[in-house]
Amino acid sequence: MTKNTKRQVGILSVVGLVCIIGYVFNVRSINSFVNTLENTFGGRRYLASLDPYLDSSLLPAWAQYNLVDVTEYPDPTRETALFWHVPKSGGTTAKRVYECLGQTLANRLGADPRFGHDQDEEIVIFHPFATEPEIKFVNVDTTTKAGVVRAARLGLVPSGKVDMIFSTDVNFATEHLFDPDHKGRILALFRNPVDRSVSKFYYLQTATWERTYRPEWKDMGIVEWATNHNLDENFIVKKIVGKKLNDPVDIADLIVAKDIIRRHFVVGLMTNMEESISRFNVFLGLNLADVNGKACKEQYLGVKKEKKVEVTADADAGNAEGMNSHSHPKHEPGSLEYNVIAERNA
């Protein structure tokens, strides 16, 4: 046994002892757990490697009881997919793909007053566009907290009428929409956090149709924005553990967020959209290889020459209609702009 292996075994033994002590003395707080380990080992850097051994009882109740584990065999009859739409990470493209595949979705448009179902007191499925009959929504908006509360009150998940829920607030949505008898399966596309922040900065300068439109950023340098105006620092961690964007996060939050992802998230990467969608489809029981699937794949995931962006610019991948795709300066690793954003997400 090597010296490093002996050290790992010794540390895991101590961790096990700490868990036993925590159980005996009813220590259920992740912060208490981290503080105990910090006192034991004299520092926090080593703790990040210990999260695979975190006791599941230290996770939030919604993560413990409302979600299926990634190792569980998919069963659409007893689980509902929730796609966590992380801004500027390919979520719009994913939504277009699943609309094309004929999935019944819950998203922002479901409670749009122009479709006439925003005041219904029961969950209904409707076709919003006569020229695109494959697109189906349920009559709730799961992209806002008020919309999630309404969806929960109307019994969205127990109704069995929705195939996939799109939400930007994974913590709140999972806590309110699912329960131990009606569990969820989380799907998410992730992107390099610096690239995501850069894309957001340039996109919201001109995206007049977005709730978060920021015209005041148009004459602002990205370093100034990143230093004084960007609240997206450690965005993924904050959203998973339920903190506000201006709240601080620490190593305990990171450990919890990583463990929830490890146990419960089916992860895709924006830089590998086709492979990611194919991975999601394994859990959803869908197929991109049949006739309809191939058409959807070509329309939303295919690379068309006229859609290519110059090397000096960056565009959100895969949005064939260009609604959320935008060209903008690309800041390379090692540049001042890149380093400033990266440092504030460290």
Side-chain angles (χ1 to χ4, degrees):
M1 184 180 295
T2 65
K3 181 183 294 186
N4 185 59
T5 302
K6 290 180 179 179
R7 174 176 169 77
Q8 293 285 345
V9 171
I11 288 174
L12 291 178
S13 299
V14 175
V15 171
L17 179 60
V18 170
C19 290
I20 294 172
I21 293 173
Y23 179 81
V24 172
F25 292 98
N26 197 32
V27 176
R28 286 290 181 261
S29 165
I30 180 60
N31 286 301
S32 298
F33 180 80
V34 167
N35 289 337
T36 302
L37 290 177
E38 184 181 24
N39 293 334
T40 303
F41 299 114
R44 290 197 165 197
R45 175 175 294 184
Y46 198 80
L47 298 182
S49 65
L50 297 179
D51 57 73
Y53 309 102
L54 187 66
D55 190 316
S56 62
S57 64
L58 296 172
L59 299 180
W62 61 264
Q64 293 184 53
Y65 306 117
N66 293 3
L67 298 175
V68 296
D69 193 274
V70 291
T71 61
E72 292 185 49
Y73 194 83
D75 184 355
T77 65
R78 67 178 189 86
E79 64 187 54
T80 303
L82 186 146
F83 185 97
W84 180 24
H85 189 161
V86 179
K88 309 313 301 169
S89 299
T92 298
T93 299
K95 182 165 69 72
R96 296 284 185 267
V97 170
Y98 288 113
E99 287 175 350
C100 182
L101 290 173
Q103 295 291 281
T104 301
L105 306 185
N107 64 9
R108 180 176 175 177
L109 287 180
D112 191 315
R114 60 182 162 152
F115 299 126
H117 294 284
D118 56 308
Q119 300 300 319
D120 292 346
E121 283 301 309
E122 63 178 346
I123 298 295
V124 297
I125 300 172
F126 66 96
H127 299 261
F129 309 116
T131 58
E132 298 176 279
E134 74 279 4
I135 298 180
K136 297 178 292 183
F137 296 150
V138 286
N139 57 321
V140 292
D141 177 0
T142 49
T143 66
T144 68
K145 288 186 176 181
V148 167
V149 170
R150 176 173 177 266
R153 178 174 62 82
L154 297 182
L156 172 63
V157 174
S159 75
K161 295 181 178 180
V162 64
D163 295 316
M164 183 180 293
I165 299 166
F166 279 75
S167 181
T168 55
D169 196 332
V170 65
N171 182 302
F172 190 85
T174 304
E175 180 178 5
H176 288 80
L177 295 178
F178 302 116
D179 59 52
D181 294 322
H182 306 91
K183 292 189 175 185
R185 185 180 291 277
I186 307 297
L187 315 175
L189 282 167
F190 290 147
R191 183 182 189 181
N192 179 303
V194 176
D195 293 341
R196 195 188 72 80
S197 292
V198 170
S199 179
K200 170 193 166 182
F201 169 68
Y202 290 107
Y203 172 70
L204 290 181
Q205 295 176 15
T206 58
T208 56
W209 55 90
E210 293 285 3
R211 295 166 179 160
T212 50
Y213 170 51
R214 293 291 185 270
E216 66 273 18
W217 291 355
K218 196 167 186 178
D219 298 318
M220 189 182 299
I222 193 168
V223 173
E224 178 189 351
W225 171 78
T227 304
N228 301 315
H229 302 278
N230 181 24
L231 295 178
D232 267 13
E233 298 169 4
N234 300 300
F235 178 88
I236 299 294
V237 173
K238 289 177 181 179
K239 279 295 186 179
I240 292 176
V241 301
K243 288 195 170 184
K244 296 179 180 179
L245 292 182
N246 58 352
D247 288 341
V249 291
D250 58 20
I251 190 67
D253 298 313
L254 174 62
I255 290 175
V256 168
K258 288 176 64 177
D259 207 59
I260 291 174
I261 291 173
R262 182 180 66 85
R263 294 173 186 268
H264 300 295
F265 279 43
V266 181
V267 172
L269 299 177
M270 179 179 161
T271 51
N272 299 96
M273 282 294 293
E274 184 177 336
E275 179 181 344
S276 298
I277 295 296
S278 295
R279 173 179 293 187
F280 297 157
N281 287 352
V282 170
F283 290 89
L284 298 170
L286 300 175
N287 187 4
L288 285 177
D290 60 21
V291 174
N292 185 50
K294 287 181 179 179
C296 296
K297 176 181 174 181
E298 174 62 24
Q299 184 174 0
Y300 295 109
L301 303 177
V303 177
K304 297 180 175 59
K305 292 182 179 180
E306 66 273 20
K307 294 295 181 181
K308 286 187 177 179
V309 179
E310 295 180 4
V311 176
T312 56
D314 174 39
D316 286 341
N319 190 311
E321 295 185 43
M323 290 182 63
N324 281 25
S325 181
H326 63 294
S327 299
H328 57 73
K330 184 173 178 64
H331 301 292
E332 299 289 349
S335 67
L336 172 63
E337 295 85 355
Y338 191 100
N339 289 344
V340 168
I341 299 173
E343 178 63 27
R344 296 179 71 86
N345 279 278

